[in-house]
Each structure stands twice: as structure tokens, then as C-alpha cells.
Short mmCIF file of all heavy atoms in Angstrom, two decimals:
data_model
loop_
_atom_site.label_atom_id
_atom_site.label_comp_id
_atom_site.label_asym_id
_atom_site.label_seq_id
_atom_site.Cartn_x
_atom_site.Cartn_y
_atom_site.Cartn_z
N GLN A 13 7.94 -20.36 -2.96
CA GLN A 13 6.97 -21.24 -2.28
C GLN A 13 7.62 -21.85 -1.04
O GLN A 13 6.99 -22.04 -0.01
CB GLN A 13 6.49 -22.32 -3.22
CG GLN A 13 5.72 -21.80 -4.45
CD GLN A 13 4.26 -21.44 -4.12
OE1 GLN A 13 3.82 -21.69 -3.00
NE2 GLN A 13 3.58 -20.84 -5.05
N LYS A 14 8.90 -22.19 -1.12
CA LYS A 14 9.56 -22.87 -0.02
C LYS A 14 9.64 -21.94 1.18
O LYS A 14 9.66 -22.43 2.34
CB LYS A 14 10.97 -23.29 -0.42
CG LYS A 14 10.98 -24.50 -1.33
CD LYS A 14 12.39 -24.79 -1.82
CE LYS A 14 13.28 -25.32 -0.70
NZ LYS A 14 14.62 -25.64 -1.19
N VAL A 15 9.68 -20.59 0.93
CA VAL A 15 9.76 -19.67 2.04
C VAL A 15 8.61 -19.85 3.04
O VAL A 15 8.79 -19.79 4.24
CB VAL A 15 9.76 -18.19 1.49
CG1 VAL A 15 9.52 -17.23 2.65
CG2 VAL A 15 11.08 -17.94 0.78
N VAL A 16 7.39 -20.11 2.50
CA VAL A 16 6.24 -20.24 3.37
C VAL A 16 5.66 -21.66 3.21
O VAL A 16 4.48 -21.88 3.15
CB VAL A 16 5.18 -19.17 3.04
CG1 VAL A 16 5.66 -17.82 3.49
CG2 VAL A 16 4.88 -19.15 1.54
N ALA A 17 6.56 -22.64 3.12
CA ALA A 17 6.10 -24.02 2.82
C ALA A 17 5.16 -24.54 3.89
O ALA A 17 5.41 -24.43 5.08
CB ALA A 17 7.33 -24.91 2.73
N GLU A 18 4.03 -25.05 3.45
CA GLU A 18 3.09 -25.72 4.34
C GLU A 18 3.24 -27.20 4.07
O GLU A 18 3.89 -27.61 3.14
CB GLU A 18 1.66 -25.25 4.02
CG GLU A 18 1.44 -23.75 4.07
CD GLU A 18 1.28 -23.27 5.51
OE1 GLU A 18 1.04 -24.13 6.39
OE2 GLU A 18 1.37 -22.09 5.72
N ASP A 19 2.57 -28.01 4.86
CA ASP A 19 2.61 -29.40 4.55
C ASP A 19 1.69 -29.67 3.35
O ASP A 19 0.86 -28.87 2.93
CB ASP A 19 2.17 -30.26 5.74
CG ASP A 19 0.75 -30.06 6.17
OD1 ASP A 19 -0.14 -30.01 5.31
OD2 ASP A 19 0.51 -29.99 7.38
N THR A 20 1.89 -30.85 2.70
CA THR A 20 1.23 -31.16 1.44
C THR A 20 -0.28 -31.05 1.55
O THR A 20 -0.93 -30.50 0.62
CB THR A 20 1.60 -32.57 1.02
OG1 THR A 20 3.03 -32.68 0.95
CG2 THR A 20 1.00 -32.93 -0.33
N GLN A 21 -0.88 -31.49 2.65
CA GLN A 21 -2.33 -31.45 2.79
C GLN A 21 -2.86 -30.04 2.82
O GLN A 21 -3.87 -29.76 2.15
CB GLN A 21 -2.72 -32.22 4.06
CG GLN A 21 -4.19 -32.59 4.09
CD GLN A 21 -4.62 -33.48 2.92
OE1 GLN A 21 -3.83 -34.31 2.43
NE2 GLN A 21 -5.85 -33.25 2.44
N GLN A 22 -2.19 -29.16 3.49
CA GLN A 22 -2.62 -27.78 3.55
C GLN A 22 -2.55 -27.10 2.21
O GLN A 22 -3.44 -26.34 1.78
CB GLN A 22 -1.86 -26.98 4.58
CG GLN A 22 -2.19 -27.34 6.02
CD GLN A 22 -1.33 -26.57 7.00
OE1 GLN A 22 -0.12 -26.56 6.90
NE2 GLN A 22 -1.99 -25.96 8.01
N ARG A 23 -1.46 -27.39 1.43
CA ARG A 23 -1.32 -26.81 0.09
C ARG A 23 -2.40 -27.37 -0.81
O ARG A 23 -2.96 -26.60 -1.60
CB ARG A 23 0.08 -27.15 -0.47
CG ARG A 23 1.21 -26.47 0.28
CD ARG A 23 2.45 -26.30 -0.58
NE ARG A 23 2.88 -27.54 -1.19
CZ ARG A 23 3.70 -28.41 -0.65
NH1 ARG A 23 4.14 -28.16 0.60
NH2 ARG A 23 4.05 -29.50 -1.26
N LEU A 24 -2.72 -28.61 -0.73
CA LEU A 24 -3.79 -29.21 -1.50
C LEU A 24 -5.11 -28.55 -1.25
O LEU A 24 -5.90 -28.25 -2.13
CB LEU A 24 -3.87 -30.73 -1.30
CG LEU A 24 -5.02 -31.46 -2.05
CD1 LEU A 24 -4.82 -31.31 -3.57
CD2 LEU A 24 -5.06 -32.93 -1.65
N GLN A 25 -5.39 -28.29 0.04
CA GLN A 25 -6.64 -27.60 0.39
C GLN A 25 -6.69 -26.20 -0.18
O GLN A 25 -7.77 -25.78 -0.64
CB GLN A 25 -6.77 -27.55 1.94
CG GLN A 25 -7.01 -28.90 2.59
CD GLN A 25 -6.82 -28.90 4.05
OE1 GLN A 25 -6.68 -27.84 4.71
NE2 GLN A 25 -6.80 -30.11 4.68
N GLU A 26 -5.58 -25.51 -0.19
CA GLU A 26 -5.63 -24.18 -0.82
C GLU A 26 -5.79 -24.25 -2.31
O GLU A 26 -6.49 -23.42 -2.90
CB GLU A 26 -4.32 -23.41 -0.48
CG GLU A 26 -4.29 -22.02 -1.07
CD GLU A 26 -3.39 -21.04 -0.33
OE1 GLU A 26 -3.32 -21.09 0.89
OE2 GLU A 26 -2.76 -20.20 -1.00
N GLU A 27 -5.19 -25.24 -2.96
CA GLU A 27 -5.39 -25.41 -4.39
C GLU A 27 -6.88 -25.73 -4.71
O GLU A 27 -7.42 -25.31 -5.70
CB GLU A 27 -4.50 -26.52 -4.95
CG GLU A 27 -3.00 -26.18 -4.91
CD GLU A 27 -2.66 -25.12 -5.92
OE1 GLU A 27 -2.90 -25.28 -7.09
OE2 GLU A 27 -2.12 -24.06 -5.47
N ARG A 28 -7.51 -26.52 -3.83
CA ARG A 28 -8.92 -26.85 -4.02
C ARG A 28 -9.74 -25.57 -3.89
O ARG A 28 -10.71 -25.35 -4.64
CB ARG A 28 -9.34 -27.90 -2.98
CG ARG A 28 -10.75 -28.40 -3.25
CD ARG A 28 -11.13 -29.53 -2.26
NE ARG A 28 -10.53 -30.80 -2.69
CZ ARG A 28 -9.63 -31.47 -1.99
NH1 ARG A 28 -9.16 -30.93 -0.85
NH2 ARG A 28 -9.16 -32.60 -2.41
N ARG A 29 -9.37 -24.71 -2.96
CA ARG A 29 -10.09 -23.43 -2.80
C ARG A 29 -9.91 -22.58 -4.05
O ARG A 29 -10.83 -21.85 -4.48
CB ARG A 29 -9.63 -22.69 -1.54
CG ARG A 29 -9.98 -23.40 -0.26
CD ARG A 29 -9.79 -22.49 0.94
NE ARG A 29 -8.42 -22.19 1.24
CZ ARG A 29 -7.66 -22.91 2.13
NH1 ARG A 29 -8.14 -23.99 2.69
NH2 ARG A 29 -6.42 -22.56 2.34
N LEU A 30 -8.73 -22.67 -4.67
CA LEU A 30 -8.47 -21.91 -5.86
C LEU A 30 -9.36 -22.38 -7.01
O LEU A 30 -9.90 -21.58 -7.78
CB LEU A 30 -6.98 -22.04 -6.25
CG LEU A 30 -6.41 -21.11 -7.31
CD1 LEU A 30 -6.62 -19.65 -6.93
CD2 LEU A 30 -4.95 -21.37 -7.55
N MET A 31 -9.57 -23.71 -7.12
CA MET A 31 -10.48 -24.26 -8.11
C MET A 31 -11.90 -23.75 -7.85
O MET A 31 -12.67 -23.38 -8.76
CB MET A 31 -10.41 -25.77 -8.09
CG MET A 31 -11.35 -26.47 -9.06
SD MET A 31 -10.74 -26.36 -10.74
CE MET A 31 -11.99 -27.36 -11.62
N TYR A 32 -12.27 -23.74 -6.57
CA TYR A 32 -13.58 -23.26 -6.19
C TYR A 32 -13.83 -21.83 -6.58
O TYR A 32 -14.87 -21.43 -7.11
CB TYR A 32 -13.73 -23.46 -4.66
CG TYR A 32 -14.99 -22.87 -4.02
CD1 TYR A 32 -16.19 -23.62 -4.03
CD2 TYR A 32 -14.95 -21.64 -3.39
CE1 TYR A 32 -17.31 -23.10 -3.41
CE2 TYR A 32 -16.12 -21.14 -2.79
CZ TYR A 32 -17.26 -21.85 -2.81
OH TYR A 32 -18.39 -21.36 -2.19
N VAL A 33 -12.80 -20.99 -6.33
CA VAL A 33 -12.88 -19.58 -6.78
C VAL A 33 -13.08 -19.48 -8.25
O VAL A 33 -13.92 -18.71 -8.71
CB VAL A 33 -11.60 -18.81 -6.33
CG1 VAL A 33 -11.48 -17.46 -7.04
CG2 VAL A 33 -11.60 -18.63 -4.82
N GLY A 34 -12.31 -20.30 -9.04
CA GLY A 34 -12.48 -20.24 -10.50
C GLY A 34 -13.88 -20.62 -10.93
O GLY A 34 -14.49 -19.93 -11.77
N ILE A 35 -14.46 -21.68 -10.37
CA ILE A 35 -15.77 -22.14 -10.72
C ILE A 35 -16.82 -21.06 -10.45
O ILE A 35 -17.71 -20.77 -11.24
CB ILE A 35 -16.13 -23.43 -10.00
CG1 ILE A 35 -15.24 -24.60 -10.47
CG2 ILE A 35 -17.62 -23.80 -10.19
CD1 ILE A 35 -15.39 -25.85 -9.63
N THR A 36 -16.69 -20.41 -9.28
CA THR A 36 -17.70 -19.48 -8.85
C THR A 36 -17.54 -18.07 -9.45
O THR A 36 -18.28 -17.17 -9.14
CB THR A 36 -17.71 -19.30 -7.32
OG1 THR A 36 -16.38 -19.02 -6.84
CG2 THR A 36 -18.18 -20.60 -6.67
N ARG A 37 -16.62 -17.93 -10.46
CA ARG A 37 -16.60 -16.68 -11.22
C ARG A 37 -17.64 -16.68 -12.29
O ARG A 37 -17.96 -15.65 -12.87
CB ARG A 37 -15.21 -16.50 -11.90
CG ARG A 37 -13.99 -16.39 -11.01
CD ARG A 37 -14.13 -15.42 -9.90
NE ARG A 37 -14.60 -16.11 -8.67
CZ ARG A 37 -15.16 -15.50 -7.63
NH1 ARG A 37 -15.32 -14.21 -7.64
NH2 ARG A 37 -15.54 -16.19 -6.58
N ALA A 38 -18.19 -17.87 -12.65
CA ALA A 38 -19.08 -18.07 -13.79
C ALA A 38 -20.52 -17.76 -13.39
O ALA A 38 -21.02 -18.25 -12.36
CB ALA A 38 -18.96 -19.45 -14.34
N GLN A 39 -21.20 -17.03 -14.25
CA GLN A 39 -22.59 -16.71 -14.00
C GLN A 39 -23.54 -17.68 -14.74
O GLN A 39 -24.45 -18.28 -14.16
CB GLN A 39 -22.93 -15.25 -14.48
CG GLN A 39 -22.17 -14.23 -13.65
CD GLN A 39 -22.32 -12.82 -14.26
OE1 GLN A 39 -22.30 -12.68 -15.48
NE2 GLN A 39 -22.49 -11.84 -13.46
N ARG A 40 -23.32 -17.86 -16.04
CA ARG A 40 -24.29 -18.63 -16.86
C ARG A 40 -23.73 -19.93 -17.44
O ARG A 40 -24.40 -20.92 -17.46
CB ARG A 40 -24.82 -17.72 -18.02
CG ARG A 40 -25.73 -16.64 -17.53
CD ARG A 40 -26.07 -15.63 -18.59
NE ARG A 40 -26.45 -16.27 -19.85
CZ ARG A 40 -26.41 -15.65 -21.05
NH1 ARG A 40 -25.99 -14.41 -21.13
NH2 ARG A 40 -26.76 -16.30 -22.14
N THR A 41 -22.51 -19.87 -17.96
CA THR A 41 -21.90 -21.11 -18.51
C THR A 41 -20.49 -21.28 -17.99
O THR A 41 -19.75 -20.27 -17.77
CB THR A 41 -21.87 -21.09 -20.05
OG1 THR A 41 -20.82 -20.19 -20.50
CG2 THR A 41 -23.20 -20.70 -20.69
N LEU A 42 -20.09 -22.53 -17.81
CA LEU A 42 -18.78 -22.85 -17.39
C LEU A 42 -18.25 -24.07 -18.14
O LEU A 42 -18.96 -25.08 -18.27
CB LEU A 42 -18.77 -23.18 -15.86
CG LEU A 42 -17.47 -23.72 -15.28
CD1 LEU A 42 -16.35 -22.68 -15.31
CD2 LEU A 42 -17.67 -24.24 -13.84
N ALA A 43 -17.03 -23.93 -18.65
CA ALA A 43 -16.35 -25.10 -19.28
C ALA A 43 -15.01 -25.28 -18.58
O ALA A 43 -14.34 -24.30 -18.22
CB ALA A 43 -16.17 -24.86 -20.79
N VAL A 44 -14.63 -26.52 -18.37
CA VAL A 44 -13.35 -26.85 -17.76
C VAL A 44 -12.58 -27.70 -18.72
O VAL A 44 -13.07 -28.71 -19.20
CB VAL A 44 -13.58 -27.65 -16.44
CG1 VAL A 44 -12.24 -28.00 -15.80
CG2 VAL A 44 -14.42 -26.80 -15.44
N SER A 45 -11.39 -27.27 -19.06
CA SER A 45 -10.62 -28.01 -20.07
C SER A 45 -9.26 -28.50 -19.53
O SER A 45 -8.66 -27.88 -18.66
CB SER A 45 -10.43 -27.17 -21.35
OG SER A 45 -9.43 -26.20 -21.17
N TRP A 46 -8.79 -29.63 -20.14
CA TRP A 46 -7.53 -30.19 -19.74
C TRP A 46 -6.85 -30.76 -20.97
O TRP A 46 -7.52 -30.97 -22.00
CB TRP A 46 -7.69 -31.26 -18.69
CG TRP A 46 -8.46 -32.47 -19.13
CD1 TRP A 46 -9.81 -32.61 -19.26
CD2 TRP A 46 -7.89 -33.73 -19.57
NE1 TRP A 46 -10.15 -33.85 -19.70
CE2 TRP A 46 -8.94 -34.57 -19.92
CE3 TRP A 46 -6.59 -34.21 -19.64
CZ2 TRP A 46 -8.81 -35.88 -20.35
CZ3 TRP A 46 -6.42 -35.55 -20.09
CH2 TRP A 46 -7.51 -36.34 -20.45
N THR A 47 -5.54 -30.95 -20.93
CA THR A 47 -4.77 -31.45 -22.08
C THR A 47 -4.15 -32.77 -21.79
O THR A 47 -3.76 -33.04 -20.66
CB THR A 47 -3.66 -30.44 -22.43
OG1 THR A 47 -2.80 -30.26 -21.34
CG2 THR A 47 -4.22 -29.07 -22.83
N LYS A 48 -4.11 -33.60 -22.82
CA LYS A 48 -3.49 -34.93 -22.67
C LYS A 48 -1.98 -34.89 -22.61
O LYS A 48 -1.32 -35.75 -22.07
CB LYS A 48 -3.96 -35.83 -23.81
CG LYS A 48 -5.45 -36.08 -23.80
CD LYS A 48 -5.92 -36.79 -25.08
CE LYS A 48 -7.44 -36.93 -25.06
NZ LYS A 48 -7.97 -37.48 -26.31
#
């Protein structure tokens, strides 16, 4: 990751796009889970 390090804000924007891609894979039902 350090090889192509971007600033924090740009990386956060790409991670948000990754979440968006995950959500839009779903056709009928979507569940999002997290662990304590």
C-alpha cells in the first residue's frame, strides 16, 4: 500500500466506493454485519 500511498482523504473515498460496490451487488436482500 505504501508504494502507491495516497493521502488519507483519497484512501477513505476509495474505501467508500468499495462499500458502494458491495451494496450494489445485491438484487433483492442485503444484510450488513459487524462484530463487537
Side-chain angles (χ1 to χ4, degrees):
Q13 298 280 353
K14 285 175 69 177
V15 167
V16 289
E18 303 281 346
D19 65 43
T20 304
Q21 196 58 35
Q22 287 178 310
R23 293 204 307 272
L24 177 61
Q25 289 166 12
E26 180 155 322
E27 292 291 302
R28 187 176 282 114
R29 293 194 291 268
L30 193 57
M31 179 73 176
Y32 174 84
V33 164
I35 293 170
T36 53
R37 298 313 93 198
Q39 296 171 320
R40 289 170 47 200
T41 74
L42 172 67
V44 179
S45 76
W46 64 282
T47 59
K48 295 171 184 174

